[in-house]
Amino acid sequence: MQNFEQCLFPDLEKDQYQVLWVQRQDKINPDTGQTRLELNFVIPNVELSTRKRLQPFYAPADLNRVAYT
């Protein structure tokens, strides 16, 4: 999660953005039969110190950048 946040917010301090992380383990991996870890996130589109709009992720442009962090 820390690496992901650093990738999305490289020039921002932790007090300039907010991320809500939700951990889920209710899905079963069909290959192993084990539950799998899934992390979901929500990022408000506001930079907290200025209250200006912030869009840290735009899927068509950024998906390759964060896919393996």
Side-chain angles (χ1 to χ4, degrees), residues 6-59:
Q6 288 174 345
C7 182
L8 286 182
F9 308 104
D11 297 326
L12 297 180
E13 299 294 325
K14 288 280 271 179
D15 63 350
Q16 292 180 278
Y17 65 90
Q18 191 157 16
V19 180
L20 169 68
W21 287 97
V22 178
Q23 176 181 313
R24 297 182 57 188
Q25 290 182 293
D26 60 338
K27 295 182 181 175
I28 305 294
N29 181 323
D31 297 328
T32 66
Q34 301 289 322
T35 58
R36 71 176 195 212
L37 173 63
E38 182 177 297
L39 294 172
N40 298 291
F41 61 92
V42 177
I43 303 170
N45 286 348
V46 61
E47 194 279 323
L48 298 176
S49 65
T50 64
R51 309 302 278 170
K52 291 184 178 180
R53 188 179 187 324
L54 172 69
Q55 185 167 349
F57 182 79
Y58 178 64

